[in-house]
Amino acid sequence: MAADAAPFPYLRWARAHLDPHDESSLGLSGRRRPPAEDLPAGIRPPWPPDGPDAYTLWREAVAAHEGLPGPEWVHPSVGTSQGNFVAYVAFARGGKIAVETPAYESLPCMGKAIAAEVGTFTRVPERGWRLDPASLEEATQDGVDLLVLTDLHNPSGQRLADEDLDLLVQVAEAHDAVVLVDEVYRALDPLDRPTAVHRHPRILATNSLTKCYGLWDLRAGWVIGHPSLIEKLDEWEDLIVPSIPPAPMVDAATFLRTSARRHLEATRAEAARRTAQVDAWVQGRDDVHWTPPVGAFTGLLFLGRAGAPLDGDIVAARAWESEGIRVVPGSFFQVPPALRVSYLLEEAALDKALQGLGRALDAVSQDKD
Ligand SMILES: Cc1ncc(COP(=O)(O)O)c(C=O)c1O
């Protein structure tokens, strides 16, 4: 009856056998959906009333968007975050994970949350944020189940080199592991590179409409990869998020099919202008350096002059207290003498913010002298 290996056998069975439209079922555990006219005036039903189901629409839209062979390559998720989480649980619970550093903090933290051993491999700023192979070897020498990194890299905004991805795949093959590439910023890359999934069947990629398209509230996300990996995610879904609200998936599918490209082009053009603006500010100072992001609108600023780094926590606090400017301390990305800046602002607002940040830097330097 129930599939023994399923993470949540009852729900697996219920999905296959309990039909919400069955008028004589004694199996359904909730009440039937209220008719739309019984809902308060002005709100539409949270489920799409007719037509193909939302999961199918979303899987098909994502497969077409990413140039994949079919919807069986797509696992719908609640944003990138939940996609990452289901991949962690499916492939590395209680196992070993190797995560890039600097990293978006949730990537190592999720590993700890699922009782995995978390090692790190380094991305090296002096080498254009390429991977350090020695650190990868060290992090994986006792085995690994999941290798995790971002493309574009958060916090630096750099693209992942093909050679580095190939190196990760080699390591994954040696240890029968999976490579997870969080691609939530990839679409900003003007090179229009395809998803990493096309490169090897051991690669999974996660994404959403949150960052590059600003559709934060839809929480429409996806994990893509070879169907043999996607099947595992689908099983774990039963336990983690038994179903995703359908209406946002329907809206997100329409957006992907009709408007995503236009929005992206406008965002890329704006990001390029703002990156040049930040770069001009950086070049005008001797106490900040960075590698300008490739398309992204977030980057990592290293603080201080040669041999005299400044503490990002202190500068961030000063920028807020004296100037009312928010910046993210690099310590959240394991880089204390740095700040992560996200700068897709109006030109004048960005100028003002950078001037304020400059004054905060000057003040912290003066305090040190
Ligand atoms: C690398 C990375 N992945 C995922 C997320 C969260 O994405 P979502 O809102 O789609 O869950 C963020 C948010 O900052 C991020 O930087």
Side-chain angles (χ1 to χ4, degrees), residues 95-112:
K96 293 194 168 82
I97 297 185
V99 185
E100 69 184 359
T101 186
Y104 173 55
E105 199 178 38
S106 100
L107 302 178
C109 289
M110 275 189 195
K112 291 174 198 151

Side-chain angles (χ1 to χ4, degrees), residues 78-82 84 104 106-107 150 152 154 182 184-185 207-211 216 219-221 340:
V78 185
T80 314
S81 309
Q82 188 260 325
N84 287 338
Y104 173 55
S106 100
L107 302 178
T150 51
L152 304 176
N154 183 9
D182 177 326
V184 77
Y185 287 107
N207 210 331
S208 76
L209 299 184
T210 306
K211 302 288 171 188
W216 302 73
R219 303 300 299 143
R340 211 280 309 265

Side-chain angles (χ1 to χ4, degrees), residues 53-295:
D53 85 280
Y55 271 81
T56 305
L57 277 175
W58 185 228
R59 283 185 196 259
E60 284 174 351
V62 171
H65 179 74
E66 297 286 27
L68 299 169
E72 68 282 7
W73 286 66
V74 181
H75 173 88
S77 65
V78 185
T80 314
S81 309
Q82 188 260 325
N84 287 338
F85 190 70
V86 72
Y88 273 55
V89 172
F91 294 103
R93 64 195 180 286
K96 293 194 168 82
I97 297 185
V99 185
E100 69 184 359
T101 186
Y104 173 55
E105 199 178 38
S106 100
L107 302 178
C109 289
M110 275 189 195
K112 291 174 198 151
I114 60 157
E117 223 176 89
V118 181
T120 55
F121 56 89
T122 312
R123 297 187 72 156
V124 188
E126 295 77 16
R127 294 185 51 234
W129 295 97
R130 294 282 307 272
L131 298 194
D132 170 31
S135 69
L136 181 62
E137 196 178 330
E138 198 182 326
T140 57
Q141 62 192 356
D142 297 328
V144 68
D145 300 295
L146 191 65
L147 297 134
V148 186
L149 79 173
T150 51
D151 180 22
L152 304 176
H153 180 218
N154 183 9
S156 74
Q158 303 304 310
R159 68 175 64 95
L160 177 63
D162 286 347
E163 296 79 359
D164 287 346
L165 184 56
D166 291 345
L167 180 62
L168 290 161
V169 166
Q170 258 177 36
V171 173
E173 283 187 314
H175 295 287
D176 195 20
V178 169
V179 178
L180 175 63
V181 187
D182 177 326
E183 295 185 338
V184 77
Y185 287 107
R186 176 179 51 87
L188 294 174
D189 186 342
L191 289 191
D192 251 343
R193 288 171 306 128
T195 168
V197 160
H198 293 288
R199 212 160 169 89
H200 199 276
R202 279 186 186 273
I203 301 175
L204 280 177
T206 46
N207 210 331
S208 76
L209 299 184
T210 306
K211 302 288 171 188
C212 300
Y213 302 96
L215 297 178
W216 302 73
D217 309 304
L218 287 183
R219 303 300 299 143
W222 62 89
V223 191
I224 51 178
H226 190 271
S228 60
L229 302 181
I230 295 298
E231 267 170 32
K232 282 217 159 59
L233 303 181
D234 290 346
E235 285 174 9
W236 280 96
E237 191 78 354
D238 288 345
L239 194 59
I240 298 172
V241 185
S243 66
I244 299 179
M249 283 195 282
V250 174
D251 291 348
T254 304
F255 177 83
L256 264 195
R257 286 191 188 284
T258 61
S259 319
R261 187 75 211 175
R262 177 172 57 81
H263 280 253
L264 191 58
E265 273 162 16
T267 305
R268 282 180 182 172
E270 187 64 6
R273 287 192 285 271
R274 296 304 143 242
T275 299
Q277 195 179 340
V278 178
D279 195 44
W281 176 83
V282 170
Q283 300 312 324
R285 299 193 64 96
D286 65 356
D287 56 354
V288 181
H289 67 277
W290 76 336
T291 309
V294 293

Side-chain angles (χ1 to χ4, degrees), residues 298-345:
T298 62
L300 195 70
L301 301 177
F302 287 96
L303 308 177
R305 298 179 182 89
L310 292 179
D311 186 307
D313 287 84
I314 294 174
V315 176
R318 188 64 165 254
W320 174 243
E321 283 154 18
S322 325
E323 305 289 340
I325 303 293
R326 282 289 188 205
V327 278
V328 181
S331 54
F332 286 122
F333 298 85
Q334 310 92 50
V335 195
L339 294 174
R340 211 280 309 265
V341 284
S342 294
Y343 48 79
L344 203 65
L345 305 178

